């Protein structure tokens, strides 16, 4: 019966919303500070921020061999 | 006929009213904590300066649009899949093709490398996710060892191994995500909640526990508990399909790319969107996003053939990368963070890095 299945579906929606409304949240200022701290702490280990030297770069340009 | 006992106050009208109240309450709770913007917090951080990236390798060989790619943990192999049904495994250092499989369907929209490096998973219009063990014998017919793992009732949009070769997570046009046991093909858990096609998924970094995020055509990004199947958080701020989701490296946030031409950052602990990466000049959808290792950079591949590089903290664009001759459809950072690979409808994949560090 479509009436009772609408009811069941609606109950699920309400249950899900109750769950989502009840979670603990932190302020954006706190969350943002943590995101920033993570970036700063890991900046030196981020090869795309620092670049890598040619000798350690696995994707250094392939050199062409030539006979001298 | 047995029916559920309905409490007197649980009529449809009452439930609808409660649902509306709860939605308003959610908005209020999220708004209360919105005391500052991310880019304001990041004002004192040094800017990134000039940002140049170089294409180091171009992988040519697909006969049609590249739809998906993934890196092997060995940081050199790449698997890619295409509209023409081909799945290719490349050695990105040498650009050699190591394996090629022809799928029985076109539009192979999803592919993934197994953590061991010994197998790849792929699927698309066949509604399945299949696993191919990679043989060391180049002459062996990979298709003979194919194992069908996942079965959906619509196209497979994304797949990912969990932290072992034993389980695969899939998302589908049928509106669900699912977790499968590779060996038996058994469905371990299904995830219902999206109201339309699910287009993408990403697993949380292993340190943060058993969750994953999915994005769909219902404009929602949902975070799921893998064990219980429950949706634990949901975000609906995009104005169109979400094509790509990726966790921030700490696991506390995730980014999304959408057909609404924006990328956004959602913080899981604040339970809200905390940044939008957009410009008036960017009007084409973002198809694929990924972070650099520190989370400072967000790479976005777009349908206007470009890759925009964003400063995650300041919200500004630091670079725009050209080179592809058609839509960028897929983009992933290499496992050690030294490079990233992009795949495109121009049939190629490109590996780029930052160039040389002087001194």
């Amino acid at each position: 019966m479509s009436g009772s299945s609408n009811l069941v579906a609606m109950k699920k929606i309400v249950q899900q919303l109750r769950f989502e409304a009840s979670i603990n949240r932190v302020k954006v200022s706190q969350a943002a500070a943590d995101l920033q701290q993570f970036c700063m702490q890991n900046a030196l280990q981020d090869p795309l921020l620092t670049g890598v030297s040619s000798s350690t770069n696995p994707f250094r340009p392939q050199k062409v061999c030539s006979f001298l | 006929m047995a029916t559920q006992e309905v409490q007197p106050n649980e009529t449809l009208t009452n439930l609808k009213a409660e649902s509306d109240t709860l939605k308003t309450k959610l908005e209020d709770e999220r708004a209360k904590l919105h005391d500052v913007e991310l880019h304001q917090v990041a004002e004192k951080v040094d800017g990134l300066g000039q940002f140049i990236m170089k294409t180091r390798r171009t992988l040519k060989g697909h006969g049609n649009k590249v739809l998906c790619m993934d890196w092997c943990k060995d940081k050199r192999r790449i698997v890619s899949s295409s509209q023409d049904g081909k799945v290719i495994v490349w050695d990105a250092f040498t650009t050699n093709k190591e394996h090629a499989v022809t799928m029985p369907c076109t539009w192979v929209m999803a592919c993934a490398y197994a953590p061991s490096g010994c197998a790849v998973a792929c699927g698309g219009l066949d509604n399945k996710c299949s696993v191919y063990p990679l043989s060391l014998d180049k002459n062996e017919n990979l298709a003979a060892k194919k194992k069908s793992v996942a079965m959906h009732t619509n196209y497979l949009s994304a797949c990912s191994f969990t932290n072992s070769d034993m389980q695969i997570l899939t998302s589908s046009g049928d509106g669900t995500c699912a977790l499968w046991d590779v060996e038996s093909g058994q469905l371990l858990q299904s995830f219902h909640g999206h109201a339309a096609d699910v287009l993408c998924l990403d697993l949380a970094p292993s340190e943060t526990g058993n969750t994953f995020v999915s994005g769909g055509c219902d404009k929602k990004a949902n975070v799921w508990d893998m064990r219980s199947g429950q949706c634990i958080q949901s975000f609906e701020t995009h104005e169109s399909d979400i094509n790509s989701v990726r966790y921030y490296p700490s696991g506390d946030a995730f980014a999304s790319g959408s057909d609404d031409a924006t990328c956004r950052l959602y913080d899981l602990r604040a339970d809200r969107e905390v940044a939008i990466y957009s410009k008036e000049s960017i009007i084409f959808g973002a198809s694929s996003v990924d972070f650099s290792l520190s989370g400072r950079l967000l790479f976005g591949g777009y349908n206007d053939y470009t890759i925009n590089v964003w400063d995650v903290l300041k919200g500004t664009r630091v670079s725009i990368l050209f080179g592809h001759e058609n839509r960028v459809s897929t983009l992933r950072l290499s496992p050690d963070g030294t490079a990233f690979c992009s795949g495109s409808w121009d049939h190629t994949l490109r590996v780029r890095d930052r160039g040389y560090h002087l001194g």
Side-chain angles (χ1 to χ4, degrees):
Chain A
M1 234 175 78
S2 71
S4 68
S5 71
N6 273 349
L7 202 60
V8 168
M10 205 60 215
K11 263 183 102 166
K12 276 197 186 151
I13 291 175
V14 169
Q15 266 169 353
Q16 179 64 26
L17 284 170
R18 276 185 199 150
F19 175 83
E20 286 180 29
S22 69
I23 69 168
N24 287 325
R25 296 175 185 80
V26 307
K27 286 191 183 171
V28 174
S29 50
Q30 177 64 55
D34 290 347
L35 291 176
Q36 182 177 308
Q37 188 182 40
F38 186 89
C39 279
M40 300 295 105
Q41 276 172 351
N42 291 283
L44 291 177
Q45 281 79 48
D46 185 339
L48 291 177
L49 281 183
T50 61
V52 286
S53 68
S54 170
S55 54
T56 55
N57 181 5
F59 288 103
R60 61 187 169 276
Q62 295 160 300
K63 293 206 162 43
V64 178
C65 288
S66 53
F67 289 104
L68 297 170
Chain B
M1 183 174 81
T3 51
Q4 272 190 314
E5 232 195 81
V6 178
Q7 309 298 331
N9 61 347
E10 279 190 347
T11 61
L12 206 55
T13 343
N14 288 340
L15 285 174
K16 182 81 183 55
E18 189 180 354
S19 146
D20 289 338
T21 318
L22 284 168
K23 280 186 190 164
T24 315
K25 183 181 177 196
L26 256 175
E27 275 171 33
D28 289 345
E29 292 296 314
R30 283 172 169 169
K32 268 187 214 168
L33 298 164
H34 188 200
D35 53 348
V36 77
E37 299 291 342
L38 173 60
H39 63 84
Q40 288 170 312
V41 167
E43 252 159 26
K44 301 209 185 91
V45 172
D46 286 342
L48 289 174
Q50 199 189 28
F51 199 86
I52 295 174
M53 295 198 73
K54 298 197 177 186
T55 297
R56 297 294 183 198
R57 300 288 188 273
T58 303
L59 305 180
K60 296 186 184 181
H62 275 296
N64 212 319
K65 307 176 174 69
V66 176
L67 302 175
C68 190
M69 60 81 43
D70 192 19
W71 288 87
C72 176
K73 284 211 159 86
D74 71 2
K75 308 167 255 183
R76 67 186 284 170
R77 284 171 180 79
I78 284 176
V79 63
S80 60
S81 64
S82 163
Q83 182 194 344
D84 67 358
K86 291 270 196 318
V87 175
I88 298 179
V89 175
W90 315 76
D91 175 335
F93 288 179
T94 61
T95 75
N96 289 338
K97 298 176 204 32
E98 296 198 337
H99 302 276
V101 173
T102 304
M103 292 280 284
C105 66
T106 56
W107 289 89
V108 188
M109 294 172 240
C111 64
Y113 230 115
S116 67
C118 298
V120 292
C122 51
L125 285 188
D126 57 352
N127 299 358
K128 293 190 215 169
C129 184
S130 306
V131 174
Y132 292 83
L134 295 176
S135 167
L136 291 172
D137 176 359
K138 301 277 160 72
N139 293 324
E140 187 167 358
N141 182 8
L142 286 186
K145 295 234 170 111
K146 164 179 164 175
K147 190 186 216 99
S148 280
V149 173
M151 296 272 290
H152 279 280
T153 54
N154 209 323
Y155 64 89
L156 187 83
S157 53
C159 62
S160 175
F161 286 85
T162 59
N163 53 11
S164 79
D165 284 19
M166 300 287 87
Q167 293 182 351
I168 286 189
L169 192 57
T170 57
S171 64
S172 167
D174 66 14
T176 71
C177 297
L179 181 66
W180 310 83
D181 177 273
V182 173
E183 191 56 46
S184 64
Q186 193 190 3
L187 174 67
L188 298 171
Q189 184 60 263
S190 65
F191 306 88
H192 297 262
H194 278 287
D197 305 22
V198 187
L199 298 180
C200 51
L201 60 85
D202 191 38
L203 275 145
S206 42
E207 310 80 50
T208 36
N210 287 324
T211 61
F212 73 95
V213 61
S214 64
C217 291
D218 57 358
K219 312 175 203 171
K220 282 207 228 166
N222 290 338
V223 180
W224 307 88
D225 179 316
M226 275 171 70
R227 273 180 282 231
S228 67
Q230 170 150 44
C231 172
I232 49 185
Q233 281 173 280
S234 185
F235 303 90
E236 194 173 353
T237 62
H238 271 294
E239 295 168 14
S240 188
D241 300 359
I242 297 178
N243 299 312
S244 177
V245 286
R246 196 76 77 214
Y247 271 92
Y248 186 77
S250 72
D252 287 333
F254 69 90
S256 58
S258 163
D259 275 352
D260 69 8
T262 72
C263 296
R264 296 178 196 233
L265 186 69
Y266 298 90
D267 188 286
L268 294 172
R269 296 177 319 136
D271 188 39
R272 60 171 296 125
E273 173 192 292
V274 293
I276 305 183
Y277 307 99
S278 67
K279 277 177 106 67
E280 270 185 39
S281 53
I282 301 175
I283 58 172
F284 285 84
S287 63
S288 189
V289 296
D290 204 355
F291 288 99
S292 69
L293 266 193
S294 67
R296 182 68 191 271
L297 301 170
L298 179 68
F299 296 91
Y302 289 73
N303 293 339
D304 64 2
Y305 314 177
T306 68
I307 293 166
N308 289 302
V309 187
W310 302 92
D311 180 328
V312 169
L313 299 179
K314 290 188 177 288
T316 53
R317 178 173 65 185
V318 294
S319 189
I320 176 168
L321 307 174
F322 299 98
H324 279 299
E325 295 167 13
N326 207 319
R327 293 190 185 193
V328 178
S329 52
T330 179
L331 186 161
R332 291 208 79 144
L333 189 74
S334 71
D336 62 358
T338 55
F340 78 90
C341 179
S342 57
S344 165
W345 280 19
D346 70 5
H347 309 187
T348 71
L349 295 111
R350 283 172 178 250
V351 179
R352 282 178 235 241
D353 67 17
R354 187 69 198 277
Y356 302 129
H357 160 73
L358 301 169

